[in-house]
């Protein structure tokens, strides 16, 4: 009907009683409804004063070079319905003026990677917002202050954000005193848990989360829903899990009654098969008992395995306790920067004896000392306050020979056995098989000595 200019836009203003206007996609395919050039920041166009519904949608996406900047609609005070679905404007970083009585807006297909907090700030009577496939997964999370986005839209009742690749909602987006309970559609997004809704009762009428990536709801999610108490929640199409790991969630589903599509939800059972959630819940009590049995079996197996390992370790440790202690003491000395002597020794011999034999050992000490031998005795050379085990190992390391004075009292002494074992460990590690000298007293026979000493005597 019109030439290549924008004259058809103003022709509609001549209709004094026009209430419904549907502009076919073939007319608007050049995207020149606006009275401006593609790069303008502010522009406006005129509508009939009586117009109540404007249908400008396309059945397929129609890409546009325009931006929603500062758009002013003249004579739009009676406009209540605007459908611009699939008219993909370049961004949503602007504000629309002149249609303050708008109640229904379909902006599906818009490219809202760039989104203004004030996009809807002049629609105080908006009831229905449809924004499917509008890249809001990016746009919403780039808002500096998400609480401003829906602040003025207190009459909102229905919000459809389907297919926006949303993983999470920004804080404060729905934290407003809406006058009516909200129905919110978040199907076919990327949620793995309940979105960040405010924990307020009477905020939501219906929450639809179909075809997301939710396997179950966490304890916090369930607690929040118990407070919000929406009339219906839809979870069909999510990869739900029906296993012992999600037992708390399954019990909550059965008792809360908030999930409205349990007859349609398929869940993956413990053995990998798909089952209908409602059928699974019918036998939940039996399944719960089996989970408890599995838990006890697992717990008993873990305790048994731990006990067996502890027993084995105890046996090994007891069998080689002196070896362990010797190496621990060597490590401790290294940490204290102790360096063993490579060629020279501090003492010619360390004499190991029972304190009850000290008189005899003193006579031995005097005879050997008078001939120029340097001897180490525990009552003379061990440092006060230093652990005796450390002193024994240090004496063994720093002595050329180890002299054991074997008596009945020595064989009954635990420290005597300890010194024998430490000497054996040292001799084995350093290759000093000839370092041991044994003095047998009290008519002690060789077979009466300990295994460790006997191996050194051979």
């Amino acid at each position: 009907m019109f030439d290549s200019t924008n004259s058809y836009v103003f022709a509609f203003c001549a209709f004094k009683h026009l209430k419904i206007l549907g502009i076919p996609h073939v007319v608007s395919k050049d995207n020149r409804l606006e009275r401006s050039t593609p790069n303008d920041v502010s522009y406006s166009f005129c509508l009939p004063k009586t117009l109540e519904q404007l249908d400008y949608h396309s059945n397929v996406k129609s890409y546009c070079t325009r931006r929603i900047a500062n758009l002013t609609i003249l004579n739009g005070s009676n406009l209540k319905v605007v459908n611009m679905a699939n008219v993909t404007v370049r961004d949503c970083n602007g504000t629309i003026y002149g249609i303050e009585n708008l109640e229904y807006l379909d902006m599906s297909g818009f490219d809202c990677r760039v989104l203004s907090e004030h996009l809807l700030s002049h629609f105080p009577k908006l009831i229905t917002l449809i924004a499917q496939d509008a890249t809001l997964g990016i746009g919403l999370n780039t808002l500096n202050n998400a609480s401003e986005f829906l602040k003025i839209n207190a009459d909102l009742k229905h919000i459809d954000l389907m297919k926006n690749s949303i993983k999470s909602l920004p804080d404060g987006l729905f934290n407003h005193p809406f006058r009516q309970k909200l129905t919110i559609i978040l199907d076919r997004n990327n949620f793995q848990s309940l979105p960040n809704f405010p924990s307020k009762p009477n905020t939501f009428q219906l929450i639809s989360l179909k075809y997301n990536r939710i396997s179950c709801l966490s304890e916090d999610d369930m607690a929040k829903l118990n407070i919000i108490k929406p009339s219906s929640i839809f979870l069909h199409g999510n990869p739900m899990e029906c296993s012992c790991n999600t037992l708390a969630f399954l019990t909550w589903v059965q008792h809360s009654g908030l999930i409205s599509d349990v007859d349609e939800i398929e869940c993956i059972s413990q053995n990998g098969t798909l089952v209908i959630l409602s059928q699974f819940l019918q036998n939940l009590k039996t399944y719960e008992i089996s989970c408890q049995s599995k838990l006890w079996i697992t717990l008993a197996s873990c305790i048994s395995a731990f006990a067996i390992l502890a027993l084995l370790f105890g046996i090994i440790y007891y069998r080689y306790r002196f070896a362990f202690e010797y190496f621990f003491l060597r490590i401790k000395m290294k940490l204290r920067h102790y360096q063993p002597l490579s060629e020279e020794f501090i003492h010619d011999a360390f004499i190991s004896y029972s304190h009850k034999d000290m008189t005899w050992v003193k006579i031995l000490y005097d005879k050997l000392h008078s001939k120029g031998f340097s001897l180490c005795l525990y009552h003379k050379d061990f440092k006060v306050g230093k652990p005796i085990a450390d002193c024994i190992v240090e004496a063994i390391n720093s002595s050329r020979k180890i002299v054991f004075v074997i008596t009945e009292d020595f064989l009954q002494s635990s420290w005597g056995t300890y010194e024998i074992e430490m000497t054996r460990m040292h001799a084995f590690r350093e290759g000093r098989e000839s370092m041991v000298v044994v003095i047998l007293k009290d008519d002690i026979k060789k077979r009466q000595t300990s295994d460790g000493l006997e191996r050194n005597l051979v």
Side-chain angles (χ1 to χ4, degrees):
M1 292 174 59
F2 304 100
D3 57 23
S4 60
T5 67
N6 290 327
S7 56
Y8 71 91
V9 175
F10 300 98
F12 292 121
C13 295
F15 294 92
K16 296 182 179 180
H17 303 289
L18 188 65
K19 292 187 176 182
I20 301 174
L21 175 58
I23 304 176
H25 178 59
V26 292
V27 174
S28 60
K29 65 181 179 181
D30 291 329
N31 301 304
R32 288 179 299 200
L33 183 60
E34 316 88 324
R35 215 183 136 193
S36 62
T37 60
N39 292 321
D40 282 343
V41 175
S42 299
Y43 52 94
S44 63
F45 64 87
C46 176
L47 293 176
K49 292 182 180 180
T50 54
L51 192 66
E52 295 179 0
Q53 297 183 29
L54 174 61
D55 188 349
Y56 186 53
H57 85 282
S58 171
N59 292 325
V60 294
K61 280 194 174 184
S62 173
Y63 291 92
C64 176
T65 59
R66 284 287 186 188
R67 302 170 54 223
I68 297 182
N70 294 320
L71 172 61
T72 301
I73 299 176
L74 304 175
N75 298 330
S77 59
N78 289 316
L79 191 62
K80 294 183 178 180
V81 177
V82 172
N83 184 354
M84 295 183 67
N86 290 327
V87 181
T88 306
V89 293
R90 195 171 70 195
D91 65 49
C92 303
N93 190 23
T95 307
I96 303 174
Y97 303 91
I99 48 175
E100 62 277 359
N101 292 312
L102 189 69
E103 296 178 357
Y104 179 101
L105 174 63
D106 189 343
M107 51 182 282
S108 300
F110 282 26
D111 189 354
C112 292
R113 288 182 179 88
V114 181
L115 181 64
S116 170
E117 298 167 357
H118 305 292
L119 178 67
L120 308 176
S121 61
H122 290 272
F123 305 150
K125 298 183 179 181
L126 190 65
I127 296 174
T128 300
L129 173 64
I130 302 176
Q132 299 181 8
D133 193 19
T135 61
L136 287 171
I138 299 174
L140 286 173
N141 286 289
T142 58
L143 295 174
N144 292 325
N145 187 359
S147 61
E148 292 291 321
F149 188 66
L150 299 175
K151 184 177 181 179
I152 198 67
N153 312 113
D155 286 334
L156 269 174
K157 186 177 181 181
H158 182 88
I159 301 174
D160 188 346
L161 303 180
M162 185 188 298
K163 292 177 64 177
N164 276 285
S165 300
I166 304 174
K167 294 181 179 180
S168 62
L169 294 175
D171 294 337
L173 185 63
F174 294 102
N175 197 16
H176 303 295
F178 295 102
R179 297 188 180 97
Q180 304 181 74
K181 289 186 178 181
L182 290 175
T183 293
I184 182 164
I185 311 297
L186 293 167
D187 300 348
R188 299 185 184 276
N189 283 288
N190 294 324
F191 291 104
Q192 296 185 29
S193 60
L194 186 72
N196 189 16
F197 293 140
S199 299
K200 294 181 179 179
N202 301 318
T203 301
F204 295 98
Q205 177 72 22
L206 181 149
I207 299 172
S208 183
L209 290 163
K210 297 179 182 178
Y211 296 99
N212 278 274
R213 300 170 62 187
I214 301 171
S215 60
C216 71
L217 296 179
S218 67
E219 294 285 349
D220 290 341
D221 291 341
M222 292 183 284
K224 181 176 288 188
L225 288 173
N226 288 336
I227 297 173
I228 297 174
K229 286 195 177 298
S231 299
S232 299
I233 302 172
F234 293 91
L235 295 174
H236 172 61
N238 284 279
M240 308 301 294
E241 180 182 344
C242 291
S243 68
C244 296
N245 296 329
T246 61
L247 192 59
F249 167 66
L250 297 172
T251 304
W252 176 83
V253 171
Q254 186 180 52
H255 291 97
S256 69
L258 296 179
I259 309 301
S260 300
D261 55 350
V262 288
D263 292 330
E264 301 176 31
I265 297 174
E266 291 182 332
C267 63
I268 304 172
S269 65
Q270 196 91 10
N271 58 13
T273 59
L274 286 176
V275 294
I276 302 299
L277 182 57
S278 59
Q279 297 175 0
F280 187 87
L281 294 178
Q282 292 174 2
N283 301 311
L284 185 61
K285 194 66 179 177
T286 304
Y287 188 75
E288 185 176 359
I289 294 173
S290 69
C291 286
Q292 292 174 350
S293 301
K294 291 176 183 177
L295 176 63
W296 281 111
I297 292 172
T298 303
L299 184 61
S301 300
C302 291
I303 293 174
S304 300
F306 179 79
I308 292 171
L309 289 174
L311 180 62
L312 289 174
F313 179 79
I315 294 172
I316 294 171
Y317 181 79
Y318 182 78
R319 177 66 180 83
Y320 300 102
R321 61 191 183 281
F322 295 109
F324 283 120
E325 186 160 354
Y326 175 79
F327 286 112
F328 289 152
L329 290 172
R330 294 282 300 193
I331 292 171
K332 186 190 294 185
M333 288 180 176
K334 285 185 178 180
L335 293 176
R336 293 177 179 176
H337 306 291
Y338 168 80
Q339 295 295 331
L341 297 174
S342 57
E343 297 180 356
E344 298 182 357
F345 295 92
I346 298 175
H347 306 286
D348 291 309
F350 164 55
I351 301 178
S352 175
Y353 60 95
S354 169
H355 70 281
K356 294 182 180 180
D357 302 314
M358 187 180 295
T359 302
W360 187 90
V361 171
K362 182 68 169 60
I363 296 171
L364 175 65
Y365 174 82
D366 291 339
K367 290 182 179 180
L368 293 175
H369 184 67
S370 65
K371 295 183 179 182
F373 290 102
S374 175
L375 304 176
C376 177
L377 303 179
Y378 77 84
H379 71 276
K380 178 177 70 74
D381 296 293
F382 283 9
K383 296 177 181 178
V384 177
K386 188 173 184 178
I388 191 169
D390 292 0
C391 293
I392 291 172
V393 173
E394 188 173 335
I396 293 172
N397 290 338
S398 61
S399 300
R400 183 176 288 105
K401 299 288 183 179
I402 310 298
V403 179
F404 290 103
V405 179
I406 308 300
T407 63
E408 292 287 351
D409 292 326
F410 182 90
L411 293 177
Q412 294 175 9
S413 170
S414 60
W415 282 114
T417 304
Y418 184 85
E419 289 168 357
I420 290 173
E421 292 294 340
M422 291 296 103
T423 301
R424 185 168 68 88
M425 291 296 107
H426 179 83
F428 174 78
R429 184 178 184 277
E430 303 296 333
R432 299 175 60 196
E433 291 82 2
S434 61
M435 67 183 292
V436 177
V437 177
V438 177
I439 300 174
L440 297 177
K441 289 182 82 276
D442 298 341
D443 196 25
I444 299 295
K445 304 299 181 183
K446 183 178 174 182
R447 57 185 173 79
Q448 291 179 258
T449 61
S450 65
D451 291 340
L453 179 59
E454 187 172 341
R455 279 193 290 270
N456 281 306
L457 290 172
V458 174

